[in-house]
């Protein structure tokens, strides 16, 4: 997508004269105040970048992990090194299933290869994972834009479609385009009048700092609102559709996403506002079925994210200030689960469907065949 008129991706492989090229990322902890690119030269760099959320968003975490394994193979291409790299990455962010997906994919492809072929194969596959993510997001964009156009057709001529989104499921959360925001970008470029309500998304404010920045760069009309304003907006008829992303959905269509998503879905249901979720294929956890959403590990992050607010100080530096009394305990759950019954539709890279095993399996028949009878195999540590 565009930043100051230039096309940029969240992660890209950069060549070096010594042949030891590496991935370069946008450090998202500096946005929206500073656009800083950082090179990740070792597996350790990648693990840190994911854990500290310099890279974040389920699809981007998957792509970064694939490069992490490739970098580990360059250091040592043995079976032991491959196993250790997978282990180190697995622990970084437990909720986004794309991380598991990318690790399984890389491990599966590299395991059977002689070690002298692993480095080249790993970098080639990591590039492909990143490229496939772009294709997946573009396809979500095309299917979702059709949903937006259908809804807009019921509005008076020229009136903007009012879209509400939560957290950041734009291009910063993926390699390019994003998931929930891909339909917005495509429809906007096609000339559909629209406006996006951006929910700030405490505690880390991915909506206020990342989604707002993306939309601004792309020239999409938007307004940032506190998280707790969203129910009011919906009840007073100012929202035509809610679209969020997901970090993992079960095969039955229960949606795990950034904390606060469930509250938006319940308000949307009460107000009769359609609630859609943008879903890349690698975000579907086929091992979890009906009633098994609590098998998704919910990441709990450090207390400082809630206790402090980070922003640009008057002297131009990025600083944190405490907003709760010293000594008050804090709970910081990163994600929640929205039951499938509250979701109007899933916008996948293969089309739009109602949430449920049958409809998802129709779109992804290869997974259904591979995973039937294997519930729980790769689901990670249950919460
Ligand atoms: O904790 P984050 O910022 O990595 O959370 C991910 C998100 O931005 C959202 O939950 C998003 O909707 C899913 S990723 C497209």
């Amino acid at each position: 997508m565009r930043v100051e008129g230039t096309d940029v991706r969240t992660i890209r492989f950069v060549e070096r004269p010594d042949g030891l090229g590496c991935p370069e990322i946008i450090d998202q902890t500096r946005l929206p105040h500073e656009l800083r690119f950082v090179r990740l030269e070792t597996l350790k760099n990648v693990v840190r970048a994911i854990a500290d959320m310099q890279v974040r968003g389920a699809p981007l975490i998957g792509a970064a992990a694939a490069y992490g394994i490739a970098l580990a193979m360059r250091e040592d291409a043995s079976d032991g090194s491959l196993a250790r790299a997978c282990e180190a990455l697995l622990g970084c962010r437990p909720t986004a299933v794309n991380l598991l997906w990318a690790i399984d994919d890389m491990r599966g492809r590299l395991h059977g290869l002689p070690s002298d072929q692993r480095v080249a194969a790993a970098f080639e596959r990591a590039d492909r994972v990143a490229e496939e993510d772009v294709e997946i997001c573009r396809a979500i964009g095309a299917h979702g834009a059709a949903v937006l156009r259908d809804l807009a057709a019921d509005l008076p001529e020229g009136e903007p479609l009012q879209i509400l989104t939560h957290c950041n499921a734009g291009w910063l959360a993926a390699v390019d385009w994003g998931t929930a925001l891909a339909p917005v970008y495509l429809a906007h470029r096609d000339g559909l009048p629209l406006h996006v309500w951006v929910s700030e998304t405490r505690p880390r404010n991915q909506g206020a700092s990342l989604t707002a920045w993306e939309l601004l760069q792309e020239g999409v009309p938007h307004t940032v609102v506190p998280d707790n304003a969203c129910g009011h907006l919906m009840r007073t008829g100012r929202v035509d559709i809610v679209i969020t992303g997901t970090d993992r959905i079960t095969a039955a269509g229960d949606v795990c996403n950034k904390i606060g998503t469930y509250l938006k879905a319940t308000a949307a249901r009460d107000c009769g506002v359609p609630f859609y979720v943008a879903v890349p294929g690698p975000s579907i956890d086929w091992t979890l079925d009906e009633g098994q959403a609590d098998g998704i590990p919910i990441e709990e992050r450090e207390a400082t994210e809630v206790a402090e607010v980070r922003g640009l100080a008057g002297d131009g530096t990025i600083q944190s200030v405490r907003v709760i009394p010293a000594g008050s305990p804090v709970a910081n759950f990163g994600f929640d689960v929205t039951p499938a019954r509250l979701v109007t539709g899933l916008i996948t890279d293969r089309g739009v469907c109602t949430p449920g095993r049958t409809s998802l399996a129709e779109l992804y028949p290869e997974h259904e065949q591979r995973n039937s009878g294997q519930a729980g195999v790769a689901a990670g540590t249950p919460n």
Side-chain angles (χ1 to χ4, degrees):
M1 300 295 291
R2 285 186 215 129
V3 178
E4 287 157 18
T6 308
D7 281 336
V8 175
R9 286 186 175 178
T10 54
I11 192 164
R12 70 182 183 111
F13 184 81
V14 286
E15 306 285 355
R16 285 195 341 192
D18 59 5
L20 301 179
C22 65
E24 184 181 75
I25 56 152
I26 294 176
D27 179 354
Q28 300 194 23
T29 62
R30 311 296 299 178
L31 290 173
H33 312 298
E34 182 193 1
L35 180 63
R36 181 189 285 181
F37 294 90
V38 172
R39 291 191 178 178
L40 306 177
E41 293 180 347
T42 61
L43 168 68
K44 223 169 163 182
N45 291 164
V46 175
V47 167
R48 188 84 345 260
I50 296 174
D52 290 351
M53 294 177 66
Q54 288 179 300
V55 288
R56 43 147 300 282
L60 178 56
I61 291 171
Y67 280 114
I69 291 175
L71 290 166
M73 292 298 90
R74 181 188 278 160
E75 285 164 33
D76 170 1
S78 67
D79 282 354
S81 161
L82 178 58
R84 282 190 299 278
C86 295
E87 201 54 42
L89 287 160
L90 263 181
C92 294
R93 302 282 316 268
T95 304
V97 77
N98 305 57
L99 180 63
L100 283 175
W101 173 87
I103 291 169
D104 280 351
D105 179 280
M106 294 294 283
R107 186 171 30 206
R109 283 164 202 272
L110 300 178
H111 195 65
L113 288 182
S115 49
D116 62 345
Q117 291 177 23
R118 284 183 177 167
V119 180
F123 277 105
E124 203 175 296
R125 180 57 192 159
D127 286 345
R128 192 66 214 134
V129 166
E131 216 45 61
E132 278 172 9
D133 183 64
V134 179
E135 289 159 22
I136 284 172
C137 289
R138 199 180 281 123
I140 289 173
H143 294 302
V147 173
L148 300 185
R149 277 194 295 272
D150 276 357
L151 283 171
D154 294 334
L155 297 176
E157 179 81 28
E159 193 164 300
L161 185 72
Q162 300 289 341
I163 301 159
L164 187 143
T165 192
H166 185 54
C167 196
N168 173 258
W171 67 270
L172 288 168
V175 178
D176 205 352
W177 290 103
T179 59
L181 292 188
V184 171
Y185 290 132
L186 277 178
H188 176 70
R189 286 187 181 184
D190 268 7
L192 187 79
L194 52 83
H195 167 265
V196 183
W197 295 106
V198 178
S199 154
E200 64 177 349
T201 319
R202 276 283 285 152
R204 285 187 68 100
N205 290 323
Q206 291 96 323
S209 52
L210 303 178
T211 299
W213 181 79
E214 280 192 21
L215 293 171
L216 199 64
Q217 294 298 327
E218 193 65 17
V220 177
H222 65 281
T223 307
V224 180
V225 288
D227 293 320
N228 35 18
C230 296
H232 172 69
L233 288 175
M234 286 190 246
R235 200 193 58 75
T236 52
R238 285 180 250 196
V239 179
D240 297 311
I241 179 173
V242 180
I243 313 182
T244 73
T246 180
D247 295 83
R248 180 185 310 217
I249 77 162
T250 68
D254 295 320
V255 174
C256 184
N257 194 48
K258 182 52 60 190
I259 194 84
T261 303
Y262 172 58
L263 280 176
K264 288 178 174 68
T266 51
R269 174 54 55 94
D270 187 49
C271 301
V273 175
F275 183 92
Y276 280 86
V277 178
V279 185
S283 299
I284 307 170
D285 186 340
W286 294 96
T287 68
L288 293 176
D289 217 325
E290 189 88 45
Q292 295 182 327
D294 285 336
I296 300 174
I298 302 291
E299 179 181 9
E300 288 184 51
R301 297 187 57 86
E302 58 200 49
T304 48
E305 290 184 351
V306 175
E308 297 175 359
V309 170
R310 212 170 126 83
L312 194 66
D315 65 0
T317 57
I318 297 174
Q319 292 183 12
S320 295
V321 292
R322 168 172 275 276
V323 288
I324 71 164
S328 281
V330 160
N332 188 9
F333 300 99
F335 302 90
D336 61 25
V337 172
T338 298
R341 65 186 153 75
L342 296 178
V343 178
T344 311
L346 304 174
I347 305 168
T348 78
D349 48 301
R350 301 209 185 156
V352 181
C353 70
T354 50
R357 179 144 211 148
T358 311
S359 44
L360 276 172
E362 269 168 28
L363 292 178
Y364 299 90
E366 72 279 20
H367 288 282
E368 181 65 356
Q369 281 151 19
R370 197 180 320 143
N371 287 281
S372 56
Q374 291 186 28
V377 171
T381 322
N383 188 39

